[in-house]
Amino acid sequence: MDDKKGFTKNNTMDDFLRQEDIQRATSDASWALQERLSFTPPLCDVFKAPYCRLEDVDRYAFHLHPEAKKELPDIINNVVHRVAKNENPSETDKERHRKQRNVGIVFSGGPAPGGHNVIAGLYDALASANENNRIFGFLMGPDGILEKNYIEITGEIVNAYRNLGGFGMIKTGRTKIDSGTKMKKARKTCLDLKLEALVIVGGDDSNTNAAFLAQELYNDGIQVIGVPKTIDGDIQVRDLNGNSICAVSFGFHTAARAFAHNINNLCSDCSSDVKYWHICKVMGRVASHLALEVGLQVHPNITLIGEELADYIDEERIENARKEGSMDYTAYGMTLRQVSRLICDGIVRRAAVGKNYGVIVIPEGLLEFINEIQVFIIKLNTIIADYNATHDTDFNTHFPTLKDKLEYLRQMARMSRENNTFFIWNTRDDDLFNVLPPFFQEGLLTERDAHGNFQFSQMETDRVVMGLVEDYLKRLMDRGVYKNGIKVESYRHTMEEGGLNPDFYGNALFKNYNSNDGFLLVKESIVSIKTLKQTLVKAEVISAKDDIPEPVETIYKQSVPKFKTQYHFYGYDGRGNDPTWFDCTYTYNLGMTVFSLIVNGATGQMAAINNLEKDFQDWEPIGIPIGSLMHLEERKSKLTLVMERALVDINSPAFKVFASKRDTWLAATPGDDCYRRPGPIRYSGESEDARPITLILNDMGNSFIKKSYDKLSQ
Ligand code: FBP
């Protein structure tokens, strides 16, 4: 080997690999990681004081569910607490503050960016109050509590995870502590570890768990505090009068920003190679908050919002029924077919102006809002839950293949017909179910999670919708409706290059030749080479024995669209993303809030920050009574007391702004698209959006409405 080009005996590969620069360049500790680890998020003003106290806030009104009163008697009368500075602490206050404590913490449910900072905030607060305080992290979610599987979280561990995404420090899991036996096990662990408090960082179901544990451990004096986590953004607390108390759960901002950045990259791509429609399924289980935020951040051509589809009313059908003196119950809520038509309409309109490409955002929970599918989901939830409750094996283990499952359903339908009694699955259900494509049937029959939730993330919602879209587009193509618009200049150029007079053929070929639309649309009657020739002959621009002139055929071929799609799923990536400045700061202060709630004796409260929609200096740490947020919901075929999830409010200012811009962002007009570049998550610096756009718009809208009322009442 030429020693100038390769390694020799005197200059070995080993020597090269030992170089410090090589180690530096390939070190796990990237520059970005080191920067993140050394960042200390700012503290809410109240935490700058050495001591704090809790003030009761009585301006919020809640409806207390009678079942919650019954099941959570010791925490149901909790009120909202505001964390305030304790400027004149008594000796007792000081003692309470520095008392040695053991605190347990657990992550529950899907990861959400910022979780590590909740631990960091709590750890720092505990450490500064008393160096002997101990914090135990339960491993793998609630299972860690049940199995007493934990680590002691040290400063070194915390320092290795500050401002980092994921839940890697102690992992997470979805087990629900929902039986007497599990409650006993959880209690034993807390007593064994002499916990003063247990902190549950989780979504609606996990905070529900927190409330029940708070009740269970009440007489042991063990406090339980929840923390609102979920990228889905569906933990939003308002009181009965619509006052916002907790605008959004942590993790939402980061996930939305991560999705928005990636989806914007697809906007750049598709408007460059102009040949693909990118179909982006976006996480969020049921609620479409993430899809809405992405819509506002990126302006994709089509963004569906599940909550809006459910609210749709087909006025025409209602009117027709009214004329016939009847009522059409099916006129409420959009069907899957109607949704697909809506998408097709956008695709066809864009193609007409030469844009046979684009980006569609579909929330993963869309099917929850489609009546006909919702019925299947509810019925199958019940069938699976009933089966699991009465058999030793679970439904999916017992019926491993789709064929087995369908056979079981068929049997139920048969029994309902033969016995002529009520069965949840009848022949009509079976018939309707059997026309669905197998992958869709399979999705609807997947195992529910531990909380009885349908696992929307496992469902190919996007393919279900787009399957119908593709079918209908074919029909529209056959009817000559779906066509690529041809730029006037391009038409003229092709014809002239081929030695033909464009004006001679123009009226025969296009339905809008003399308009000033900028794009020419081939007549709907022309759907093949044969119909092209027939049309040209009829218009007497060629005779029956002539061939179609080549440039004309070229133009026709250009007008025939190819519908090409690329599918993407945005979910797990956003859950693991490193947090934005908003989420870093929000969660660190949540950790501090948890400490304040513990020190001041609260239990059954969810730590939160009020005024997240405003500037950081207005943020106000608070505790929200979880019991007041409970309602009854169908889970595993039983009505169960759970914390209520917030869906997208289609009357909210943010949604109204989105709806008003929708047609502009479809950009079915000649000219550029309106894509917005939110940029990557930068985590620091001025250029990052300070908070979710949804929050900003809702705040602006509410202030605007308030000002208008004030003016009116002057
Ligand atoms: P949490 O509500 O636990 O935060 O989880 C939210 C979520 O990310 C949903 O958006 C998604 O539907 C689901 O978790 C996926 O769950 P899994 O991790 O079990 O696949």
Side-chain angles (χ1 to χ4, degrees):
M1 194 189 287
D2 175 355
D3 58 352
K4 279 193 190 130
K5 286 191 185 153
F7 294 101
T8 64
K9 271 193 189 150
N10 302 333
N11 172 20
T12 63
M13 174 66 108
D14 285 349
D15 292 336
F16 172 66
L17 291 178
R18 268 197 292 275
Q19 307 241 344
E20 248 180 51
D21 285 353
I22 301 282
Q23 307 310 324
R24 236 192 324 273
T26 55
S27 158
D28 290 349
S30 65
W31 179 85
L33 173 78
Q34 293 174 46
E35 193 201 38
R36 273 191 173 268
L37 292 178
S38 59
F39 173 66
T40 306
L43 288 180
C44 289
D45 191 47
V46 65
F47 296 132
K48 291 181 187 151
Y51 302 97
C52 59
R53 56 193 174 81
L54 299 182
E55 278 177 6
D56 289 359
V57 184
D58 51 17
R59 63 176 186 273
Y60 299 117
F62 296 102
H63 165 71
L64 300 182
H65 198 285
E67 193 57 30
K69 287 188 191 170
K70 209 166 86 193
E71 294 188 38
L72 304 168
D74 293 317
I75 59 163
I76 195 65
N77 292 319
N78 284 0
V79 294
V80 172
H81 287 135
R82 178 177 164 270
V83 181
K85 283 183 185 170
N86 188 352
E87 315 269 17
N88 297 307
S90 64
E91 265 321 300
T92 329
D93 291 340
K94 287 184 187 169
E95 244 166 60
R96 207 176 44 219
H97 180 89
R98 57 176 179 250
K99 178 185 161 201
Q100 191 282 323
R101 297 184 157 81
N102 291 351
V103 175
I105 190 162
V106 67
F107 290 143
S108 178
H116 290 133
N117 271 21
V118 175
I119 296 186
L122 176 61
Y123 176 88
D124 289 350
L126 280 166
S128 91
N130 182 333
E131 61 182 18
N132 295 319
N133 279 339
R134 300 177 74 187
I135 172 166
F136 302 116
F138 291 105
L139 298 173
M140 310 290 294
D143 276 341
I145 307 179
L146 301 180
E147 290 154 17
K148 215 190 332 153
N149 184 14
Y150 65 94
I151 53 165
E152 179 156 0
I153 299 175
T154 60
E156 201 182 337
I157 296 178
V158 172
N159 289 343
Y161 285 96
R162 286 180 192 270
N163 308 301
L164 297 191
F167 280 179
M169 187 197 294
I170 52 173
K171 327 288 180 218
T172 185
R174 284 199 184 277
T175 297
K176 185 175 164 97
I177 302 181
D178 56 354
S179 65
T181 322
K182 287 185 194 167
M183 279 289 178
K184 267 192 205 135
K185 278 186 164 186
R187 178 168 177 260
K188 182 168 182 315
T189 300
C190 295
L191 291 172
D192 285 354
L193 293 175
K194 298 191 172 42
L195 294 191
E196 179 107 351
L198 175 65
V199 183
I200 298 187
V201 182
D204 50 330
D205 287 327
S206 312
N207 275 285
T208 300
N209 255 203
F212 280 100
L213 276 167
Q215 178 60 48
E216 178 75 15
L217 301 175
Y218 190 80
N219 290 330
D220 296 308
I222 301 173
Q223 299 158 252
V224 182
I225 303 294
V227 180
K229 167 242 63 159
T230 174
I231 63 161
D232 297 356
D234 57 5
I235 302 192
Q236 299 180 359
V237 183
R238 287 180 180 277
D239 78 345
L240 282 179
N241 302 318
N243 297 307
S244 170
I245 312 176
C246 170
V248 80
S249 49
F250 81 76
F252 172 77
H253 185 235
T254 309
R257 292 277 290 102
F259 300 160
H261 174 56
N262 290 334
I263 292 175
N264 175 256
N265 290 344
L266 296 177
C267 296
S268 304
D269 181 80
C270 73
S271 52
S272 307
D273 65 7
V274 296
K275 65 177 183 195
Y276 288 126
W277 272 92
H278 288 285
I279 317 302
C280 307
K281 184 172 82 160
V282 165
M283 248 191 197
R285 200 191 296 282
V286 174
S288 305
H289 297 294
L290 280 166
L292 177 61
E293 180 68 19
V294 166
L296 290 164
Q297 297 241 3
V298 183
H299 311 169
N301 305 104
I302 299 175
T303 303
L304 300 178
I305 302 297
E307 288 81 342
E308 184 185 25
L309 305 180
D311 209 57
Y312 172 78
I313 297 175
D314 191 334
E315 300 289 357
E316 206 179 305
R317 274 159 72 179
I318 292 178
E319 193 46 44
N320 287 344
R322 201 171 286 147
K323 278 185 202 144
E324 288 169 10
S326 64
M327 279 169 78
D328 186 345
Y329 292 99
T330 62
Y332 300 91
M334 243 189 220
T335 63
L336 211 46
R337 199 172 294 267
Q338 282 168 321
V339 175
S340 68
R341 303 295 187 264
L342 196 87
I343 297 175
C344 287
D345 182 56
I347 293 171
V348 168
R349 282 173 60 201
R350 277 179 64 84
V353 292
K355 298 175 182 171
N356 192 31
Y357 65 86
V359 173
I360 303 179
V361 170
I362 300 182
E364 74 169 6
L366 182 92
L367 298 178
E368 171 86 11
F369 298 97
I370 307 285
N371 274 346
E372 77 244 43
I373 307 299
Q374 172 68 333
V375 171
F376 281 139
I377 292 177
I378 293 176
K379 288 192 171 202
L380 294 171
N381 275 353
T382 309
I383 291 170
I384 294 173
D386 286 353
Y387 185 92
N388 291 348
T390 48
H391 293 78
D392 289 340
T393 51
D394 68 71
F395 184 80
N396 272 276
T397 314
H398 193 80
F399 303 109
T401 67
L402 179 62
K403 203 166 147 243
D404 298 335
K405 289 175 193 132
L406 292 179
E407 184 46 40
Y408 180 69
L409 293 176
R410 204 160 301 133
Q411 263 179 34
M412 287 189 97
R414 213 176 299 134
M415 272 153 54
S416 86
R417 197 181 49 230
E418 286 165 7
N419 295 0
N420 213 9
T421 46
F422 174 76
F423 266 85
I424 189 154
W425 196 255
N426 56 39
T427 332
R428 188 180 138 74
D429 294 321
D430 211 49
D431 290 347
L432 289 174
F433 197 69
N434 278 314
V435 294
L436 301 177
F439 79 89
F440 190 11
Q441 293 174 326
E442 197 115 45
L444 290 168
L445 284 160
T446 49
E447 195 55 80
R448 276 47 182 168
D449 76 4
H451 302 266
N453 293 309
F454 180 72
Q455 303 200 59
F456 282 99
S457 56
Q458 308 303 316
M459 186 78 195
E460 295 189 295
T461 309
D462 42 354
R463 291 190 192 265
V464 172
V465 175
M466 293 311 292
L468 291 172
V469 166
E470 288 194 30
D471 286 350
Y472 193 58
L473 280 179
K474 272 195 206 108
R475 280 165 55 191
L476 292 177
M477 201 160 356
D478 291 346
R479 294 200 330 234
V481 176
Y482 176 31
K483 289 223 154 72
N484 283 331
I486 308 286
K487 233 180 172 172
V488 178
E489 300 77 34
S490 160
Y491 167 66
R492 299 196 80 83
H493 178 77
T494 308
M495 296 296 274
E496 280 161 8
E497 283 290 299
L500 299 181
N501 176 0
D503 293 334
F504 182 71
Y505 292 90
N507 280 319
L509 203 51
F510 301 110
K511 65 177 188 186
N512 60 340
Y513 189 64
N514 292 321
S515 72
N516 285 328
D517 295 348
F519 281 84
L520 299 169
L521 281 172
V522 167
K523 284 181 177 164
E524 288 178 6
S525 57
I526 304 175
V527 289
S528 59
I529 296 289
K530 193 171 153 200
T531 48
L532 171 63
K533 178 150 183 188
Q534 284 167 353
T535 309
L536 296 179
V537 171
K538 199 167 160 206
E540 296 178 353
V541 290
I542 61 169
S543 78
K545 56 182 188 329
D546 292 337
D547 286 335
I548 301 169
E550 209 182 299
V552 175
E553 196 171 320
T554 304
I555 291 294
Y556 162 70
K557 284 187 178 154
Q558 285 173 5
S559 79
V560 180
K562 286 190 190 66
F563 184 65
K564 296 212 274 186
T565 48
Q566 295 289 349
Y567 286 83
H568 314 265
F569 178 25
Y570 295 103
Y572 298 104
D573 52 331
R575 296 198 322 193
N577 214 101
D578 285 335
T580 54
W581 182 92
F582 176 87
D583 276 327
C584 282
T585 309
Y586 179 12
T587 47
Y588 190 72
N589 282 284
L590 277 176
M592 293 271 164
T593 308
V594 169
F595 174 76
S596 310
L597 292 172
I598 294 173
V599 165
N600 289 288
T603 188
Q605 298 288 87
M606 182 172 77
I609 308 274
N610 196 4
N611 290 338
L612 285 173
E613 58 278 28
K614 303 198 189 306
D615 284 338
F616 174 65
Q617 62 265 20
D618 297 325
W619 287 16
E620 200 176 65
I622 52 169
I624 302 175
I626 309 176
S628 324
L629 314 178
M630 307 286 248
H631 77 158
L632 286 182
E633 221 173 79
E634 194 260 62
R635 292 291 175 89
K636 297 186 183 170
S637 84
K638 267 199 240 122
L639 277 179
T640 312
L641 194 63
V642 290
M643 187 170 143
E644 192 169 3
R645 287 184 189 132
L647 298 179
V648 169
D649 175 3
I650 58 166
N651 291 313
S652 65
F655 182 79
K656 295 280 181 208
V657 171
F658 162 80
S660 75
K661 300 276 183 188
R662 196 162 29 196
D663 212 49
T664 313
W665 296 344
L666 175 65
T669 45
D672 288 339
D673 284 300
C674 308
Y675 303 135
R676 176 177 181 273
R677 285 175 191 269
I681 289 174
R682 295 195 191 194
Y683 146 82
S684 59
E686 286 299 306
S687 53
E688 178 157 292
D689 284 335
R691 48 189 163 266
I693 300 184
T694 320
L695 263 59
I696 297 174
L697 292 175
N698 282 340
D699 186 43
M700 284 178 177
N702 293 334
S703 315
F704 180 83
I705 295 167
K706 188 174 174 307
K707 266 189 216 143
S708 318
Y709 269 112
D710 289 350
K711 231 187 234 165
L712 277 179
S713 53
Q714 268 164 23

